[in-house]
Amino acid sequence: MRNSFALAFAGLLSTAALAQETDEHVFTAGALTIEHPWVRAAQAGADTLAFAEFINTGPADTLLSVAAPVAAAAEIVGLTLEGGVIGTVAVGPVEIPTGAFSFDPGGLGLMLHGVAEALAVGTEIELTLSFAIAGEVTIHVLVEPANAMAHSHAH
Amino acid sequence: MLVAEDIGLSFADAGRAAFTVLDVPRFAPAPGRVTAIAGPSGSGKSTLLYVLAGLLRPQRGRVMHDGQDIYALSEGRRDAWRRHRVGIVFQDFHLIPELSAVANVALAATFGPAPDLAPGRAAKLLADLGVPVSRGSVELLSRGERQRVAIARALLFDPPVILADEPTASLDALAAESLIATLRRLASEGRTVLVASHDRAVLDAGDSVFTLRHGRLAEAAAVAA
Amino acid sequence: MMNPLPLSLAMARRHAGISAVFVVLIALAVGIGAAITAQERALRAGGAQAADAFDLIVAAPSSQTDLLLRVVFLQSGSVELITGEPLRALMAEPRAAFVAPIGFGDSLNGDPVVGTIAALVNRLSGGDVAEGRVFAVPTEAIVGWDSPLHIGDNFRAAHGHGAEAELDGTQHGQALTVVGRMRPTGSPWDRAVVVPIEFTWMVHNLGTGHGADWDGTTIGPPFDLLTMPGIPAAVVAPDSLAAAYGLRNAYRTADTMAFFPAEVLVQLYDLLGDVRAMMSVLAIATEVLLIAAVLAGLLILMQLYRQRFAVLRALGASRTYVFAVAWSFGFGLIALGSVLGLAVAAALSGTVSSLLSEASGIALSSSIGWTEVSLALALAAAGALLALLPAALLYRRPVVEALRNT
């Protein structure tokens, strides 16, 4: 109930074309399926990271960019260890190979810089992903706890 | 000129009638003289000194100094008045034992804004009173010397009023005699010197002697004579 | 001007013993609290520094933490092997600059003997070696920066580690010669003896990793993918940043797992952070109790001084002055203790770091940073507030009443 209300609400706010939604948190665009996108809770003004799993049934595609209405800026980043310092670095477009590919806290992520309002656990935000082949797709991203390492949905 | 006018002070204990501590219509110790107040212990001698020093506000009456009602001053101004215009000497000296004689004498200069003192003023005051100046604690000095340090402390800002509460009670006869001579010299320089004491020698040295009994003051010069 | 210091210093001198006890206790409490955070930071930095050169670790699916401890920190233990088709795919990975198999299981006088390839040695050693050269034949070895061995030393490795190695008593028949020394890595590899992976395989009768026509001296890749033995782990150097994430994804399968040391460290650091937070809470609780005790002490001390303060008032000191003397004495003790606490923290965490470095082989350098300074400042600020209490009590005390108690 709560989720469907949230979705309906998000739908009302959204003017972007939504991807075809086969399940609550599964989105498709061309040969790509984006499953269980999630984002870590954050205070207003803070940076946070979003993650998702991709299933590509077509040829290799490329994630060109990410846009987040809720954030001042968004970019594709990867975890790095450089000179003894663990952090993230902008990696630019990322190839999504045929098969399964995941953005997860140990590897790649979508960095949202300066979220306009606090992201509370259980709410959702929208992200728009741009692919070389599959084009633009807007997805609903569930907010998980700030220290989460994975999506809370059991498969 | 220090004048107490119509001073009334009484303590009331629960279930008991008010106990009159002070009932003084007028008291004006004269400058240039040693005024002694006699009276048994608990007769209110110290209380009268505290009232005159601006430390204890009476329930009735006022204390005027050079035309200024000192209890009409703010507390801070009254503190500053006492610091600069009144010198107090206690029976037990009340020196700071961790400090040297010079530091004790100069202490009041650290209390707040103070007029510029001549360099070495504290040491000079001590020398004038015959106290050996050393860096050591004042506790190394004899009792007579310590009371002279206390006198020097009272004189730091050259106040016109000296209040002494039983100043000889802790001294031997020789030191007491020296102290009395000092008090007389301070009075002869134009100061108002008021001494509360039950020491015969002090009372004998007073230019005028009052007796305080049941809070009332009576000129006792005739008795002394 | 108003200057309460001569009197508050006089009080400290009079009560030098108890004042010193207060200061020392506060310094210890601050020192322990600050040492905890400084130590945690040192561990984080040391761990990350040690793992820096290990780009991507690929192994059979198991615990990433265990694998990290084996590969980077050279802890002993059993590990599943990657074999068969997944191994062949890994060794032939085109997106990797090199794929370095790792072979464990031997030791020399308690220090690990690790088999791998020259490329990883060069990577760990920062591009070139400190002394001598990298091994070039199966019976040559290069030692870590801190190894007691020297170039030219000959030795036989023992099977197993530590007590196991002593009990077993087995020594491999083949002797090795030290030909070089690596630059410091800040990891337990600094104590290790690194040998060609072929040596490890041969002494354990696992084959040579090369085909039947192998000359017996040429070492390193390419290996014979059909006959090479299974490996417990490989360090994969991607040829680009993008490839690193692609490789990590590609080897997260049913047969293999792939991870960056950083991602495991992040999780370990979360745990470390929790432990630190708990210890910090205890340290802060200690500080609070201590402050309460100091405060009680100050209150008692101030009772002793009430007559002195009354005398000061009689001599013309304002309430503010009396307040300032009492406050500056209390605050002085706490502030001095806090500052000395930083020195205690520096000494304490320096000692703990060197002990931990000795025990773990991870280079740790602790330093007092802004976190610790702000802890001490916070305590000093709390002291500034708490010292108001005894000062305020004196401030309110009637002068004449205290004067009479002579």
Side-chain angles (χ1 to χ4, degrees):
Chain A
M1 272 297 268
R2 197 199 60 204
N3 275 345
S4 44
F5 275 130
L7 281 180
F9 187 60
L12 281 175
L13 289 180
S14 167
T15 52
L18 280 181
Q20 188 190 344
E21 205 168 324
T22 57
D23 187 6
E24 266 186 25
H25 293 102
V26 178
F27 307 85
T28 59
L32 279 177
T33 304
I34 302 149
E35 292 187 348
H36 303 310
W38 62 282
V39 62
R40 285 177 172 163
Q43 299 294 315
D47 295 353
T48 189
L49 284 165
F51 306 99
E53 288 150 35
F54 299 88
I55 310 287
N56 185 3
T57 55
D61 201 341
T62 301
L63 175 59
L64 299 170
S65 65
V66 56
V70 72
E75 61 183 345
I76 306 165
V77 298
L79 182 72
T80 57
L81 172 55
E82 200 62 54
V85 178
I86 296 174
T88 57
V89 63
V91 294
V94 167
E95 187 187 86
I96 310 292
T98 305
F101 192 87
S102 65
F103 277 46
D104 67 276
L108 293 164
L110 305 171
M111 174 71 86
L112 311 186
H113 293 285
V115 294
E117 55 198 73
L119 304 188
V121 175
T123 61
E124 294 191 343
I125 62 165
E126 278 184 10
L127 291 183
T128 300
L129 307 179
S130 298
F131 296 95
I133 299 172
E136 280 202 358
V137 54
T138 297
I139 58 174
H140 291 146
V141 182
L142 189 65
V143 180
E144 299 280 2
N147 60 355
M149 292 304 290
H151 195 278
S152 61
H153 265 221
H155 290 265
Chain B
M1 184 78 177
L2 189 66
V3 185
E5 295 174 349
D6 192 24
I7 299 294
L9 188 66
S10 59
F11 294 150
D13 288 349
R16 243 183 59 182
F19 168 70
T20 301
V21 182
L22 287 177
D23 182 9
V24 179
R26 182 180 160 85
F27 178 51
R33 293 163 67 102
V34 173
T35 304
I37 303 172
S41 279
S43 60
K45 300 192 301 288
S46 297
T47 305
L48 180 59
L49 292 190
Y50 296 150
V51 167
L52 292 172
L55 286 166
L56 182 63
R57 183 189 292 274
Q59 286 146 345
R60 195 186 71 224
R62 52 186 193 163
V63 175
M64 306 295 290
H65 183 238
D66 294 346
Q68 170 69 52
D69 178 352
I70 62 169
Y71 286 103
L73 295 170
S74 69
E75 189 180 42
R77 285 179 175 278
R78 194 159 58 248
D79 290 333
W81 167 79
R82 184 167 55 253
R83 176 158 79 241
H84 297 121
R85 311 293 285 161
V86 181
I88 298 188
V89 179
F90 302 96
Q91 173 181 339
D92 292 321
F93 328 136
H94 288 316
L95 301 171
I96 308 293
E98 298 87 4
L99 301 179
S100 69
V102 170
N104 264 282
V105 172
L107 189 61
T110 70
F111 289 173
D116 284 340
L117 294 170
R121 163 127 180 113
K124 183 172 185 308
L125 284 168
L126 287 169
D128 289 351
L129 289 163
V131 181
V133 173
S134 82
R135 293 183 168 277
S137 160
V138 284
E139 294 208 309
L140 299 173
L141 300 173
S142 74
R143 299 185 71 80
E145 286 169 333
R146 274 187 266 173
Q147 190 60 298
R148 276 179 275 155
V149 173
I151 298 268
R153 177 175 67 180
L155 295 173
L156 181 67
F157 294 116
D158 194 15
V161 177
I162 298 289
L163 303 177
D165 191 3
E166 302 280 9
T168 59
S170 301
L171 303 181
D172 60 37
L174 198 64
E177 198 179 308
S178 155
L179 182 94
I180 291 164
T182 301
L183 290 175
R184 289 210 57 81
R185 176 171 63 80
L186 296 178
S188 72
E189 288 164 7
R191 294 184 184 84
T192 301
V193 177
L194 183 61
V195 190
S197 179
H198 56 254
D199 181 348
R200 194 68 245 168
V202 173
L203 299 178
D204 286 348
D207 295 307
S208 57
V209 179
F210 290 79
T211 306
L212 195 59
R213 213 176 293 274
H214 305 307
R216 291 169 197 277
L217 212 50
E219 175 101 43
V223 179
Chain C
M1 279 316 295
M2 188 190 287
N3 175 15
L5 288 184
L7 275 182
S8 50
L9 289 176
M11 284 172 71
R13 219 173 325 154
R14 164 57 65 97
H15 300 283
I18 190 75
S19 299
V21 169
F22 280 166
V23 168
V24 166
L25 287 177
I26 292 166
L28 285 177
V30 171
I32 291 167
I36 289 169
T37 57
Q39 200 55 49
E40 188 213 7
R41 209 172 41 244
L43 280 172
R44 283 172 186 263
Q49 199 71 55
D52 209 335
F54 297 84
D55 298 286
L56 181 70
I57 296 172
V58 178
S62 67
S63 155
Q64 294 184 354
T65 307
D66 284 355
L67 251 301
L68 184 78
L69 290 175
R70 305 272 177 281
V71 174
V72 176
F73 300 106
L74 296 179
Q75 300 293 302
S76 59
S78 61
V79 178
E80 292 285 309
L81 301 180
I82 311 177
T83 55
E85 188 49 42
L87 176 63
R88 283 190 277 278
L90 174 64
M91 297 310 293
E93 176 56 55
R95 287 169 287 181
F98 66 79
V99 176
I102 307 285
F104 307 113
D106 296 321
S107 66
L108 178 69
N109 304 324
D111 291 333
V113 174
V114 191
T116 189
I117 62 171
L120 180 64
V121 172
N122 281 321
R123 173 89 174 91
L124 292 178
S125 186
D128 63 339
V129 298
E131 207 185 327
R133 56 175 174 83
V134 187
F135 44 70
V137 297
T139 54
E140 287 178 345
I142 182 166
V143 295
W145 177 253
D146 290 329
S147 171
L149 296 178
H150 299 284
I151 290 180
D153 284 357
N154 289 294
F155 66 93
R156 288 172 204 277
H159 187 71
H161 275 276
E164 185 196 333
E166 281 159 29
L167 276 179
D168 192 345
T170 345
Q171 284 196 333
H172 296 302
Q174 187 65 55
L176 286 154
T177 305
V178 178
V179 296
R181 182 180 301 278
M182 294 160 66
R183 292 193 184 283
T185 64
S187 76
W189 284 70
D190 288 347
R191 301 272 309 174
V193 178
V194 185
V195 300
I197 187 73
E198 288 88 347
F199 174 84
T200 308
W201 287 336
M202 286 191 289
V203 296
H204 291 103
N205 299 315
L206 298 170
T208 63
H210 297 277
D213 56 345
W214 185 48
D215 62 5
T217 57
T218 311
I219 56 170
F223 297 105
D224 178 44
L225 298 184
L226 291 174
T227 61
M228 77 175 279
I231 59 172
V235 175
V236 178
D239 56 17
S240 71
L241 186 62
Y245 302 105
L247 286 169
R248 176 177 175 274
N249 193 74
Y251 288 96
R252 287 161 86 89
T253 66
D255 300 310
T256 55
M257 68 172 183
F259 62 95
F260 300 128
E263 61 182 290
V264 180
L265 289 176
V266 164
Q267 292 178 54
L268 288 179
Y269 291 172
D270 275 354
L271 196 68
L272 191 63
D274 290 345
V275 173
R276 191 259 304 136
M278 195 181 68
M279 291 175 75
S280 289
V281 166
L282 290 177
I284 287 168
T286 308
E287 281 163 24
V288 167
L289 288 177
L290 191 61
I291 292 286
V294 168
L295 194 62
L298 283 178
L299 285 171
I300 293 168
L301 212 52
M302 292 305 152
Q303 287 303 308
L304 296 178
Y305 276 102
R306 68 190 205 283
Q307 190 188 63
R308 171 181 292 188
F309 285 118
V311 168
L312 294 176
R313 292 299 310 282
L315 296 178
S318 62
R319 276 179 197 268
T320 316
Y321 178 85
V322 166
F323 181 90
V325 171
W327 179 82
S328 61
F329 176 66
F331 172 66
L333 291 184
I334 296 171
L336 183 62
S338 301
V339 170
L340 288 180
L342 289 179
V344 170
L348 201 60
S349 67
T351 307
V352 171
S353 279
S354 62
L355 290 175
L356 278 181
S357 291
E358 185 65 30
S360 69
I362 306 168
L364 297 176
S365 71
S366 66
S367 62
I368 298 304
W370 175 241
T371 314
E372 291 72 40
V373 172
S374 60
L375 174 82
L377 287 180
L379 191 71
L385 288 176
L386 288 168
L388 293 176
L389 187 58
L393 287 179
L394 276 177
Y395 180 89
R396 295 166 55 88
R397 187 168 280 280
V399 175
V400 167
E401 186 190 304
L403 273 180
R404 282 188 200 283
N405 298 331
T406 47

